[in-house]
Amino acid sequence: MATIGRINGASFNNTPRLLYIATAAFNDYFYSYSTSINAQLVTVGTLSAVTDATPGNCPAGRVLRENGRKLYPDANPGITTYMVGVYDAQSLLSGFIDPNAQVFQIYNTDKPTYLSDGVEPTLGTTDRGPSIFTRGNVLGAGSLDISGSAHIYGSTRVDNGLTVYNGSQINGGQSVNDGQTVYSRFILATSGIYTQNGTNTITLDCSISNIFVITINSNSNFTLAASNMIAGQMVYVLYANSGGNTPTVTMGTGIRGYYSGSEQPITFSGTLSITQQFMTFSTNLCELSRMFIAGS
């Protein structure tokens, strides 16, 4: 029985104070409990879903307050784990939960349940769970969802691939040490194939390949351009000219060609084929080398 006190809060000494916050929709973890007597005159206990509990009215972030009811294994028929009674002050639903289930976290261990959800005074945001500061391990079998920054000072192991949505995709085996940002893109793809048939401009899409083959099928001059490159990307271009055509290729948007007083175009003669090697600097492919292959 609660003791009524005058000035020291003793009136609330025996009231429930423990609160839980849901880290996921908890309707499937929210139970009602009932008992009945079977044909053998044995009391049978049954857990069932709370009526009207749905993902919509039992969402992540909802705070549940203890109502003082408890269920104990053996003492309560049909109960195999310790359970506590809670109520949701927003939906007004009540029932039992396993307080150690994976969808619940302690919200506040010293706060009367009749008080409303907390609001942080400085930011004005609704309180969630308390922060964690530990020298121990943090182990989880579910998802990790971080809306802020993550700082990992030791090594990180990702066994099943890591996708970074605002940068590169690392598919496994990539080691990045000491804060190094990896800009390079290396893709072997057969989709980087172009044919010159009197085309005015051929634009290399560097997001689909690092290796491009351009087949020369006419004598018409054309311009080589590039798009979607990233800093540090290596790009290789092979001009296949087995037909002996004689076009001139000038470097266009996104490309800086071989320079000797001025940028040098490529001029074909006979069955000459040519390769070029580029590396991306800033927003341009910069030519590193040019090789002429006769009679190919």
Side-chain angles (χ1 to χ4, degrees), residues 7-284:
I7 60 175
N8 62 356
S11 304
F12 304 109
N13 281 349
N14 296 335
T15 60
R17 304 175 74 90
L18 207 57
L19 291 79
Y20 306 90
I21 186 168
T23 59
F26 62 92
N27 54 297
D28 289 336
Y29 300 83
F30 200 20
Y31 305 95
S32 61
Y33 178 70
S34 61
T35 59
S36 60
I37 298 177
N38 64 15
Q40 290 73 39
L41 302 181
V42 175
T43 300
V44 177
T46 303
L47 287 174
S48 56
V50 169
T51 302
D52 296 330
T54 67
N57 57 24
C58 298
R62 190 61 58 84
V63 176
L64 304 176
R65 293 158 164 77
E66 284 192 352
N67 57 21
R69 302 179 67 189
K70 311 285 184 180
L71 294 176
Y72 297 93
D74 299 328
N76 296 101
I79 298 302
T80 59
T81 189
Y82 170 70
M83 305 189 76
V84 298
V86 296
Y87 70 94
D88 181 347
Q90 296 190 42
S91 68
L92 302 181
L93 295 175
S94 63
F96 291 93
I97 65 169
D98 174 355
N100 295 311
Q102 63 265 34
V103 298
F104 301 112
Q105 176 192 352
I106 295 295
Y107 179 72
N108 191 313
T109 57
D110 191 29
K111 180 179 179 179
T113 56
Y114 62 84
L115 293 178
S116 60
D117 297 351
V119 176
E120 202 283 319
T122 301
L123 300 177
T125 55
T126 302
D127 289 339
R128 292 293 182 247
S131 59
I132 298 173
F133 187 39
T134 177
R135 293 191 185 277
N137 297 331
V138 178
L139 305 176
S143 300
L144 175 64
D145 189 342
I146 301 175
S147 60
S149 299
H151 299 276
I152 301 174
Y153 296 100
S155 59
T156 303
R157 175 174 173 173
V158 181
D159 293 317
N160 294 318
L162 171 66
T163 300
V164 183
Y165 291 104
N166 291 323
S168 302
Q169 185 175 48
I170 304 172
N171 293 315
Q174 178 67 48
S175 178
V176 181
N177 298 314
D178 299 325
Q180 178 68 43
T181 301
V182 180
Y183 291 106
S184 300
R185 178 192 285 136
F186 188 78
I187 307 169
L188 293 177
T190 58
S191 55
I193 297 177
Y194 298 87
T195 301
Q196 179 265 346
N197 287 309
T199 305
N200 291 328
T201 301
I202 293 178
T203 301
L204 309 177
D205 184 352
C206 297
S207 68
I208 64 172
S209 183
N210 287 64
I211 301 174
F212 298 91
V213 178
I214 299 175
T215 301
I216 306 298
N217 280 346
S218 79
N219 295 322
S220 299
N221 300 334
F222 65 96
T223 298
L224 186 69
S227 64
N228 300 322
M229 67 287 286
I230 59 175
Q233 183 178 5
M234 303 297 294
V235 173
Y236 304 86
V237 179
L238 169 64
Y239 302 88
N241 185 33
S242 58
N245 296 290
T246 59
T248 295
V249 184
T250 56
M251 303 300 111
T253 302
I255 295 184
R256 292 293 177 263
Y258 176 71
Y259 186 85
S260 177
S262 62
E263 282 194 341
Q264 300 299 303
I266 295 175
T267 301
F268 289 90
S269 62
T271 56
L272 189 68
S273 292
I274 296 174
T275 63
Q276 286 177 289
Q277 179 186 13
F278 299 92
M279 184 176 73
T280 305
F281 177 75
S282 184
T283 58
N284 294 295

